[in-house]
Amino acid sequence: MMMPAAPETDAVRLREAMTESLKTSGALDDPAWRAAVAAVPRHRFVPGFYLPAQEPDEHGLTVWEPVTADADYGRWLAAAYSDRTLITQFDEQEPDWAAPRVRHGGTPTSSATLPSLVLRMWADAGIAEGHAVLEIGTGSGYSTALACERLGSAGITSLDADPKRLETAATALHSCGYTPTLAVADGWYGYWPEAHFDRVVAVCSFRAVPPALIAQTRPGGKILLTLSGWMYGYARVLLTVSGDGTAEGTLLPGTVSFMSARSHAAPAFGNPAHWVAGLPEKARPVRHGPERITAATAEAFHLRYLAQCAVPDAQLTTFEDTVVLVDVVSGSAASLTPRGPGWDVREAGPVRLWERIEGVLDAFDASGRPGPGRFRLCVRGDEQFLSHPRLPSLPLPSVGYGRASTTGPSASRRMPGSGR
């Protein structure tokens, strides 16, 4: 179907409907953010994206259907103004939107985050007029546009590691009249040329808190980011930076997840059958089954992150009816197989992976099963750990410490024409 001549006119009604829907759901309590959503044309930031088909293919893979204005104008515009995440890239490969193809499976590596979550992130960070804001993960540029509309472009800096993605976002932002500072940069290092910041908001996830972000945030400033790991456990935290360079904050509630920063993505671990074949025949019954961290519940979501802190280099997958944990760093592995109403575990290597996880689950249960808000994240120099009054502290992985100085410029480059 060919695109009608006036998508801007058609978009007004849909944008008004989306704004009203977000207001009704409670995602738009602030009139200033409501005005921003009503003003920013989201469709300009998503000229093409993928939506999942209703059924997987014969191999069980998700079928991703490309959606563009030229191919299906109505579906494209309706999705652009829906409260859903729109996948714009897989496996770091930029699609050819002039002739897009259906995809089978793949790992999403860029997206336009659903508007309600974008607003939640900005609101949780408490950004306000006069703040200098660093956004890590420009993506489509829609969230950047909302911040520019709300605060003005002068105070906004946004980074993305993907030059092509940032170029597309920059084109959309400039076409709408927004002129934030944009740079191709690794968010782990922040962006020294525009420091210091009052607020830092990351819309990708890290395995640990980037030290450069603390160094680039003013005393009393706040950093909102999602922590993740190779077991795909997630936790959000709002840190307050102190004058001595330390930072602390509590974990936030909810089940939010973001794509990993590309340098923090999980490594390939090979064939799980090979790891299972190397395990001893002798097994023991488990005290806790894998469902404690894999069930579709808020508690399991929270526990998966705590368990991940105990085995930060482990990955989790399913092989036939067996749950497998693999640690490519130490060479350790564990397999859990169902046995009647319970599970058996076999483990090998220097790290007893499931035994460590069970230790965390034991302590969690003995402490009354505390929610995320009962945990504090403390960052003191190279030391980062979760603390709870009745639980042993859980260290975050020592990722990237020493990879770069926290007192000098990061390796990055500005987008042409960007800046204040």
Side-chain angles (χ1 to χ4, degrees):
M1 181 185 299
M2 295 300 294
M3 181 174 62
E8 302 300 327
T9 302
D10 294 338
V12 171
R13 174 181 53 83
L14 291 173
R15 188 157 62 249
E16 289 174 349
M18 184 180 76
T19 304
E20 185 60 31
S21 175
L22 291 170
K23 177 185 174 182
T24 301
S25 69
L28 267 181
D29 294 332
D30 185 334
W33 282 116
R34 195 153 58 240
V37 173
V40 176
R42 192 185 187 216
H43 66 281
R44 292 199 194 177
F45 296 87
V46 286
F49 48 85
Y50 290 94
L51 295 177
Q54 292 185 349
E55 300 292 336
D57 66 14
E58 64 273 18
H59 304 293
L61 299 175
T62 300
V63 178
W64 294 96
E65 300 172 341
V67 180
T68 64
D70 286 337
D72 192 335
Y73 174 78
R75 188 185 188 193
W76 167 73
L77 198 59
Y81 288 101
S82 64
D83 189 30
R84 66 191 300 180
T85 293
L86 306 174
I87 305 300
T88 54
Q89 187 193 75
F90 285 88
D91 303 319
E92 302 182 23
Q93 298 174 2
E94 193 67 17
D96 177 8
W97 291 117
R101 299 180 179 179
V102 172
R103 292 192 58 96
H104 293 254
T107 301
T109 48
S110 192
S111 67
T113 303
L114 66 160
S116 61
L117 179 52
V118 170
L119 293 164
R120 179 178 172 185
M121 294 290 286
W122 288 133
D124 285 346
I127 68 171
E129 285 79 1
H131 280 164
V133 178
L134 173 64
E135 177 189 40
I136 298 173
T138 312
S140 71
Y142 176 68
S143 62
T144 317
L146 289 176
C148 290
E149 182 69 31
R150 172 73 169 80
L151 302 179
S153 299
I156 308 299
T157 299
S158 187
L159 314 178
D160 203 287
D162 187 320
K164 185 61 178 179
R165 285 281 84 211
L166 195 65
E167 181 181 359
T168 301
T171 299
L173 285 162
H174 294 159
S175 75
C176 295
Y178 304 122
T179 57
T181 296
L182 302 173
V184 178
D186 185 337
W188 178 265
Y189 303 105
Y191 198 63
W192 281 103
E194 298 297 323
H196 287 75
F197 302 101
D198 299 290
R199 296 291 187 271
V200 177
V201 177
V203 289
C204 62
S205 62
F206 295 98
R207 296 184 70 205
V209 180
L213 299 187
I214 295 175
Q216 293 173 26
T217 302
R218 293 189 177 99
K222 297 183 184 296
I223 301 172
L224 177 67
L225 74 162
T226 301
L227 300 169
S228 66
W230 296 344
M231 281 174 52
Y232 298 102
Y234 296 90
R236 283 198 318 146
V237 65
L238 181 63
L239 296 166
T240 300
V241 175
S242 301
D244 59 1
T246 63
E248 288 194 21
T250 58
L251 299 188
L252 300 179
T255 55
V256 173
S257 61
F258 280 108
M259 298 174 190
S260 295
R262 295 189 180 182
S263 57
H264 286 200
F269 58 80
N271 188 336
H274 297 165
W275 292 86
V276 171
L279 295 175
E281 292 187 10
K282 186 177 181 180
R284 67 168 177 86
V286 302
R287 299 192 303 279
H288 302 278
E291 68 278 356
R292 289 294 305 273
I293 62 173
T294 60
T297 65
E299 183 178 89
F301 187 93
H302 172 46
L303 276 176
R304 193 173 182 122
Y305 183 75
L306 299 182
Q308 181 178 271
C309 289
V311 287
D313 296 322
Q315 298 181 62
L316 185 149
T317 189
T318 300
F319 170 65
E320 296 178 345
D321 63 347
T322 300
V323 175
V324 182
L325 288 98
V326 171
D327 179 344
V328 300
V329 176
S330 69
S332 304
S335 69
L336 293 94
T337 52
R339 179 185 56 83
W343 294 76
D344 282 341
V345 62
R346 295 186 295 146
E347 301 184 85
V351 180
R352 292 297 188 261
L353 300 174
W354 194 251
E355 185 176 319
R356 282 198 183 181
I357 291 175
E358 286 188 310
V360 171
L361 298 177
D362 287 341
F364 177 81
D365 291 344
S367 301
R369 302 168 79 161
R374 300 292 304 279
F375 290 83
R376 289 191 67 79
L377 176 60
C378 305
V379 183
R380 300 170 183 167
D382 285 353
E383 186 180 30
Q384 301 187 18
F385 59 91
L386 281 178
S387 67
H388 181 275
R390 299 177 59 190
L391 284 167
S393 63
L394 292 169
L396 271 61
S398 299
V399 178
Y401 299 134
R403 290 199 314 181
S405 167
T406 57
T407 58
S410 61
S412 58
R413 63 180 177 87
R414 288 178 185 264
M415 287 295 297
S418 68
R420 309 191 180 163

